[in-house]
Structure formats: structure tokens, C-alpha cells
Amino acid sequence: MQKSTSNKFVAQGAEAWQEKEIHDQIISDLNDVWGKQDSYFQINGYVYAWYVKVLPETRLLEIVNRGRHDEIMYMIKRYQQANCPPEKRSFLHKVQRATLPESVQQAIARRNNMEEMDSFLSYEGFGPAGQSVILQRNNHAEIMNYLQRHGFDAQHIRQLFARNNMEEIALQTQKHGWPDEVIDEMFADLEHKLSKGLWGYYLYISHREFSEKYQKKMLMVVATKEFEAYVDKYGLWNNLHQDLITYRNMPEVHYYLERHPYLNYWGCLALAQKGSHDDKMFYISVLRTPSNDFLWAMFKVKPLDYEALSACFLKVFPSDNENMNDIELMKNGTHEQVMFRIRQKKLSNRALAALFFRNNQAEFEEYLRLWEQF
């Protein structure tokens, strides 16, 4: 009897010992996961990079499939610690990431342990497999919690649309936007005048503006009503100002400028070339931002619109270093003195305005010929 009891205790001890050895080996393996900064020399100088060392997918699956919460938490922690700190990324040329494989993410998602999920989602979102698990559980609170941190990919956004829960769709749009693939589909539907394209368009712009790429697409394809809906909420990025003049009709351009009264130089040049006298006068009337771009743009367009130039000169803003002698000379100098001066170098803003208001067309246009490629 004593021998049997002794064997039982030894067997139990051996099992615990074996478990301890397995656990210790797992911890040792996870401790071998690391990330570090290093550099190497190329012909044009040093390249700074962040390198990581990770475990094979088979080993990670062994760890997660054992189901020990403490090991899974440590695995997540080690992978998080191996990734490059955000403050270092800006000056590194290459950055490797320590990312748990899809199969391991899927296993974590299926376990649905709140502590494990929170730890993993604190530094990255799930790939497609993990996203599928979350949506398949059909739990609104869980989906909202996920979307507070991370967005879904194109495949799973379509599933989100199919759920038709506007709170979830709005949070995805507001926090993360949509992948290009989904926005491209929305614009294709718009071009084919499909109702789901309009639904997607108004949903998207109610929460966020388009990127530069899709602002241009919007200018090219949407109807007037949709264009006005967008510009009621957002201005265009500066690089799109020329496209505004190119793709939209002048009443729409006026609508835009009433709400966002600024064009960059290339937008100004496009308006000066395409716009009528009334269009130019309208822009000058709404212009409030200190900028002389429209004045310089109108210098490039023949014949000169002297009424528009006069209105624009009245809004000219001083240069940093105004030459008062030049201003006085342009006001009161003789024709010979003025011509001699303008052939030497460019005038400051106010001196040029003074030259314009001398009301001598030959002097003014000679200046433009010399200095403004007129």
C-alpha cells in the first residue's frame, strides 16, 4: 500500500515537473524574441534599421493551443516589446515588425479572453482571420470595442455594410475610413448612378473628408448636388485647386469660393485663363487671405484685364522690405526715371501698385515684359 501511494505521488510530481519544464522552455523561447536598432554602411552612408527576431509559426501555435493564459499573455507582451517604438520610426530607413501569424491571431480571437484580446489590440489589429471571428460572433459591443481601436479590411467592411448597423458603420468610417478598394467601388457605383453609390458617398463625407486622390476623383465624377454637399463641409487640398477650375463649371467654382475663398497659385492661374471678367471680379471680391497669387496669375494672361487688376491691386499686401524711394519714384517720377528704374530689377508689391496706378499702360506692360514673362 505504501509503495502504491509513493508511486502515485512520484507520478504526480513527474507530471508537474514535466509541465514545469515545458513552461520554462516556452518562457525561454519567448525571451529570445527581440527587436533592436542596428545600422550598416552603404556607399552613400549608413542605413539605420530596426530588426526583429521571432519564433516559428508552429512554435507559437503550440504555445497558444496549450491554452495557458499566462503564457499567451507573455507571448503577446514579447511581440509587442519587439516592435520599434513610435518615436524612433521617423529616422529609421527600414523597420521590421514582429507580428503574430494569422493562425495565432485567429486562435486568440476564438479564445475571446478579454485580457488577452485587450493586450493584443493595444498595439495592433487582427488580420483577416481574426476579423472574421469577431464578425461571426455577431456581438455589437465587441465589434464597437474593436472599431474603437482598429478598422476592418475591405472584405470585412463589406460584411459590416451587410449587417446594416449604422452605429458600427459610422464608427468604422469616422475612426479609420475605408480602404481604397471600397472607395473605388463607391465611385464606380456613383458613375453608374446606382443608389448604393450615393448612400456610400453621403455616409462617407458625413464623417470625414476624402484623401487628395479621391478629392480629384470627386471633382471629376460627381453631380452638382454631391459636389456642393462635399464643399459645404470641406475645402480642397491645395494641390487640387487647379483641378477645381478644370473639372467644375464656373457656377460651381463660385459656390466653392464663397465657402473657401482661397486658391493656390496654380488654381489662380487656371481661373485667370479660363474665367471671364466677372469670374475674376467675383474671386477678388471674396478673397480675404493675404496672398498676391491672383495678381501674378493675371499678369500671365493676355489681354490684361485692367479693371480686375485695379481691384486686385487694391488688395495687394506689402512686401517685407518695402523701398519707399521706389514707391515715391513710381508715383511722381518722370517717364525716363521710371523706365530707367524698372529695367534694373523687380519692384516691391506697393511700388508695383504705384506704377500701375500711374495709369501709363506702356510703362506697366514694359515692366511685365521684363519681369513677369508677359
Side-chain angles (χ1 to χ4, degrees):
M1 183 70 177
Q2 185 176 3
K3 183 176 180 181
S4 174
T5 303
S6 174
N7 288 343
K8 178 182 177 182
F9 288 145
V10 169
Q12 290 173 346
E15 185 177 346
W17 177 258
Q18 183 180 22
E19 172 61 21
K20 180 180 182 304
E21 285 193 317
I22 293 172
H23 175 74
D24 289 347
Q25 185 59 54
I26 285 171
I27 299 303
S28 176
D29 289 348
L30 290 172
N31 283 335
D32 203 29
V33 173
W34 50 255
K36 66 179 181 180
Q37 181 184 325
D38 206 344
S39 63
Y40 57 90
F41 187 79
Q42 286 187 334
I43 191 168
N44 56 345
Y46 280 95
V47 175
Y48 296 92
W50 185 268
Y51 295 99
V52 298
K53 181 182 178 185
V54 297
L55 296 181
E57 182 176 359
T58 52
R59 182 57 168 152
L60 293 169
L61 280 171
E62 288 172 359
I63 294 169
V64 75
N65 287 335
R66 274 168 52 80
R68 274 192 60 162
H69 175 64
D70 58 338
E71 293 174 354
I72 294 170
M73 288 293 291
Y74 193 60
M75 175 186 68
I76 294 170
K77 179 181 177 182
R78 290 298 299 162
Y79 269 69
Q80 181 178 9
Q81 291 173 336
N83 280 305
C84 180
E87 64 272 13
K88 290 190 174 185
R89 291 174 192 158
S90 61
F91 65 86
L92 295 175
H93 301 94
K94 297 180 181 180
V95 177
Q96 291 183 350
R97 281 190 55 80
T99 302
L100 290 169
E102 280 275 304
S103 58
V104 178
Q105 293 183 30
Q106 185 180 47
I108 292 171
R110 283 176 173 163
R111 283 173 57 81
N112 201 23
N113 179 286
M114 289 299 101
E115 192 177 8
E116 295 167 9
M117 293 276 279
D118 187 67
S119 180
F120 179 81
L121 296 178
S122 68
Y123 75 99
E124 70 176 325
F126 286 123
Q131 291 178 33
S132 290
V133 172
I134 289 175
L135 284 172
Q136 285 165 6
R137 268 199 289 266
N138 199 30
N139 183 309
H140 172 66
E142 181 183 6
I143 292 170
M144 291 295 288
N145 180 62
Y146 184 84
L147 289 171
Q148 285 291 344
R149 302 190 190 192
H150 305 286
F152 289 119
D153 62 17
Q155 172 191 348
H156 295 93
I157 285 177
R158 295 187 190 98
Q159 293 179 25
L160 200 69
F161 290 165
R163 286 175 56 81
N164 202 31
N165 184 300
M166 292 310 301
E167 189 179 13
E168 296 168 0
I169 296 169
L171 187 57
Q172 164 73 45
T173 309
Q174 181 181 3
K175 285 270 193 178
H176 314 288
W178 302 348
D180 285 0
E181 181 181 336
V182 176
I183 301 178
D184 285 333
E185 290 172 0
M186 180 268 291
F187 273 113
D189 291 338
L190 266 180
E191 290 184 81
H192 289 92
K193 303 189 182 333
L194 299 179
S195 59
K196 63 177 180 176
L198 282 173
W199 173 84
Y201 179 83
Y202 281 105
L203 170 68
Y204 194 94
I205 68 172
S206 68
H207 294 289
R208 66 191 298 132
E209 66 178 338
F210 290 123
S211 67
E212 181 177 319
K213 170 183 176 181
Y214 289 111
Q215 285 180 36
K216 181 169 184 176
K217 184 75 171 176
M218 180 270 298
L219 290 173
M220 294 171 67
V221 306
V222 302
T224 297
K225 183 180 178 182
E226 283 65 59
F227 170 78
E228 291 178 350
Y230 187 85
V231 302
D232 281 343
K233 291 180 66 68
Y234 311 106
L236 297 169
W237 294 8
N238 285 2
N239 287 345
L240 277 301
H241 289 175
Q242 185 176 10
D243 294 300
L244 168 68
I245 310 302
T246 300
Y247 294 114
R248 309 310 302 191
N249 61 46
M250 278 300 159
E252 293 171 331
V253 172
H254 285 215
Y255 191 89
Y256 176 88
L257 292 173
E258 284 177 331
R259 288 149 184 79
H260 311 283
Y262 169 75
L263 296 172
N264 71 357
Y265 174 75
W266 298 108
C268 286
L269 183 59
L271 180 60
Q273 292 170 334
K274 180 181 177 182
S276 68
H277 168 73
D278 289 342
D279 296 327
K280 295 169 189 174
M281 295 298 288
F282 174 82
Y283 179 57
I284 295 165
S285 72
V286 300
L287 182 62
R288 298 190 300 269
T289 305
S291 169
N292 299 317
D293 285 344
F294 194 50
L295 186 65
W296 312 136
M298 286 198 293
F299 291 161
K300 302 293 191 292
V301 179
K302 296 180 182 180
L304 291 176
D305 186 332
Y306 275 88
E307 183 183 357
L309 285 172
S310 180
C312 204
F313 265 117
L314 293 174
K315 290 193 172 185
V316 164
F317 300 94
S319 303
D320 292 335
N321 298 305
E322 292 286 2
N323 185 321
M324 299 307 295
N325 291 331
D326 275 351
I327 295 171
E328 181 62 26
L329 177 63
M330 293 305 111
K331 287 181 179 178
N332 301 311
T334 66
H335 174 71
E336 290 74 19
Q337 289 171 326
V338 168
M339 295 300 287
F340 179 78
R341 168 59 187 87
I342 65 177
R343 289 180 179 127
Q344 291 177 316
K345 61 180 180 179
K346 296 185 77 169
L347 296 170
S348 65
N349 291 343
R350 289 182 63 193
L352 180 57
L355 172 63
F356 177 80
F357 288 116
R358 279 174 66 87
N359 200 19
N360 185 312
Q361 184 173 331
E363 292 173 353
F364 181 68
E365 294 194 5
E366 176 64 8
Y367 178 86
L368 296 187
R369 187 189 69 79
L370 289 169
W371 302 110
E372 297 298 337
Q373 298 178 354
F374 173 63

